[in-house]
Amino acid sequence: MRHDYVPRPPSSGNSLKPLLYVLGGVYLLQMIIATWFPNPNSPYSFIEAIFALSMPNISRGFLQTLVTYGFLHSTSSLFPTHLIFNGLLIYFAGQPVHARLGPTRFLELFLGSLVFGGIIWIGVQAILPFASHPQSILIGASSGAYGILSLFCFAHWNQTIRFFFWFIPVSLEGKKIFYILLGLQGFLFLFGELSPRAQTTTAHSAHLGGIGFAYLYHQFFAHRNTLWSYLSKFIPSKTSRANKQAATGKYTVNIRKQPTKEVRREVDRILDKINNQGFGALTPSEKETLDQAKDILR
């Protein structure tokens, strides 16, 4: 497993804390609606009926639920166990992952794990209708949290991680944590979620989907350009045309007049070019831009 991520200029952006704030805010909204505006005809509130992932919602074309389900959590009890577990996992595993990937890649990892986990769960519901009650809904950020935890393990594959498990100090290498996680979720998927006799409501298939996406992201995207940069190649815009001009050396940045954000964006582009093509591929103007920017970005 690789864990030598490409170093990038420090970023002032942070997507970890806002993500946790959004999860907490949505849960509070769920509690308000469930308490004061209950749905007499359904065990689910209208916000869960609309934004949770389910076979009926996908059949109606609500593809956005492949993402929105991850921002909802169970309100069946006053103590938010579901939210706290996912929040703590995202917070503790997410801090080193966020530091390595940066805010954009961190959100790509989280949202991609949600989507991939949701697709796997929907596939299980469609192929094996007896599993986990086909008309049930899927909510929770667990697939995204497991995706973050998995990439944390990949980044610390041969390093010893010290943590507390139920107040018991534990020391394990990143690869052992990953194999335990994968084995446990695989076992629960086969003998829990897939079993006709099981009464579990936990979507272990979605957890495995999040783990799978983290593996793919680690192998193909974490060391390279962002997913958005790949998708933007198929979206014609002024920005993409400017990037093409820059690649041919026909575009220059006035370091002295450009705002700091513009300078950082141009430096990031040049560093990506060095990573993909080597330093020798830079034009004289790009080399001059790097030379000038090193004093401004300190």
Side-chain angles (χ1 to χ4, degrees), residues 93-193:
Q95 289 186 82
V97 171
H98 188 282
R100 285 177 177 271
L101 298 182
T104 302
R105 285 181 172 80
F106 181 81
L107 283 181
E108 285 182 349
L109 171 66
F110 177 76
L111 296 177
S113 297
L114 290 182
V115 173
F116 209 72
I119 291 174
I120 297 299
W121 183 80
I122 284 292
V124 170
Q125 296 292 297
I127 298 174
L128 302 172
F130 61 80
S132 298
H133 309 287
Q135 300 303 316
S136 64
I137 65 173
L138 177 62
I139 58 175
S142 299
S143 55
Y146 280 118
I148 293 172
L149 177 60
S150 297
L151 199 134
F152 171 82
C153 294
F154 298 149
H156 301 81
W157 193 248
N158 292 311
Q159 300 177 24
T160 300
I161 311 300
R162 295 177 176 84
F163 58 96
F164 286 90
F165 183 77
W166 293 104
F167 304 104
I168 301 175
V170 179
S171 297
L172 290 173
E173 294 177 342
K175 59 185 175 183
K176 293 181 180 178
I177 297 176
F178 175 76
Y179 288 139
I180 292 173
L181 174 68
L182 182 63
L184 180 61
Q185 292 302 318
F187 177 85
L188 293 175
F189 171 66
L190 292 174
F191 299 101
E193 187 175 355

Side-chain angles (χ1 to χ4, degrees), residues 4-24:
D4 52 335
Y5 286 81
V6 177
R8 300 187 179 276
S11 173
S12 58
N14 191 320
S15 55
L16 176 58
K17 290 184 179 179
L19 173 61
L20 294 174
Y21 293 152
V22 170
L23 292 177

Side-chain angles (χ1 to χ4, degrees), residues 251 253-255 257-268 289 297:
Y251 176 81
V253 174
N254 190 329
I255 294 295
K257 294 183 179 181
Q258 289 283 39
T260 302
K261 290 183 178 179
E262 296 296 328
V263 174
R264 290 184 182 277
R265 188 178 298 114
E266 175 63 8
V267 170
D268 287 344
T289 298
L297 297 180

Side-chain angles (χ1 to χ4, degrees), residues 12 36 74 79 82 108 113 130 134 139-140 143 149 158 169 189 214 217 219 241 244-245 277 284 286-287 289 295-296:
S12 58
W36 301 105
S74 174
F79 191 72
H82 192 199
E108 285 182 349
S113 297
F130 61 80
I139 58 175
S143 55
L149 177 60
N158 292 311
F189 171 66
Y217 193 85
Q219 291 294 324
R241 287 195 295 270
K244 289 180 179 179
Q245 291 177 343
Q277 304 177 32
E286 290 172 334
K287 294 177 182 178
T289 298
D295 297 325
I296 297 176

Side-chain angles (χ1 to χ4, degrees), residues 21-241:
Y21 293 152
V22 170
L23 292 177
V26 172
Y27 178 80
L28 180 60
L29 178 62
Q30 285 183 262
M31 287 295 294
I32 293 174
I33 293 176
T35 303
W36 301 105
F37 306 98
N39 186 350
N41 300 320
S42 172
Y44 309 117
S45 67
F46 75 88
I47 191 173
E48 293 168 346
I50 296 175
F51 295 105
L53 182 61
S54 65
M55 289 294 289
N57 277 348
I58 291 297
S59 300
R60 289 194 289 265
F62 293 173
L63 298 182
Q64 73 278 3
T65 56
L66 287 169
V67 173
T68 56
Y69 82 90
F71 293 86
L72 304 175
H73 286 86
S74 174
T75 57
S76 58
S77 64
L78 290 177
F79 191 72
T81 307
H82 192 199
L83 173 65
I84 290 176
F85 175 81
N86 286 332
L88 289 176
L89 191 57
I90 292 172
Y91 179 75
F92 286 109
Q95 289 186 82
V97 171
H98 188 282
R100 285 177 177 271
L101 298 182
T104 302
R105 285 181 172 80
F106 181 81
L107 283 181
E108 285 182 349
L109 171 66
F110 177 76
L111 296 177
S113 297
L114 290 182
V115 173
F116 209 72
I119 291 174
I120 297 299
W121 183 80
I122 284 292
V124 170
Q125 296 292 297
I127 298 174
L128 302 172
F130 61 80
S132 298
H133 309 287
Q135 300 303 316
S136 64
I137 65 173
L138 177 62
I139 58 175
S142 299
S143 55
Y146 280 118
I148 293 172
L149 177 60
S150 297
L151 199 134
F152 171 82
C153 294
F154 298 149
H156 301 81
W157 193 248
N158 292 311
Q159 300 177 24
T160 300
I161 311 300
R162 295 177 176 84
F163 58 96
F164 286 90
F165 183 77
W166 293 104
F167 304 104
I168 301 175
V170 179
S171 297
L172 290 173
E173 294 177 342
K175 59 185 175 183
K176 293 181 180 178
I177 297 176
F178 175 76
Y179 288 139
I180 292 173
L181 174 68
L182 182 63
L184 180 61
Q185 292 302 318
F187 177 85
L188 293 175
F189 171 66
L190 292 174
F191 299 101
E193 187 175 355
L194 291 187
S195 173
R197 300 179 180 180
Q199 299 298 321
T200 180
T201 58
T202 303
H204 299 287
S205 56
H207 299 172
L208 290 173
I211 294 172
F213 179 82
Y215 174 79
L216 295 175
Y217 193 85
H218 170 74
Q219 291 294 324
F220 299 106
F221 294 103
H223 313 278
R224 300 174 177 84
N225 293 335
T226 62
L227 280 173
W228 174 250
S229 67
Y230 284 97
L231 294 176
S232 63
K233 295 179 181 179
F234 304 96
I235 305 175
S237 64
K238 294 181 179 179
T239 303
S240 61
R241 287 195 295 270

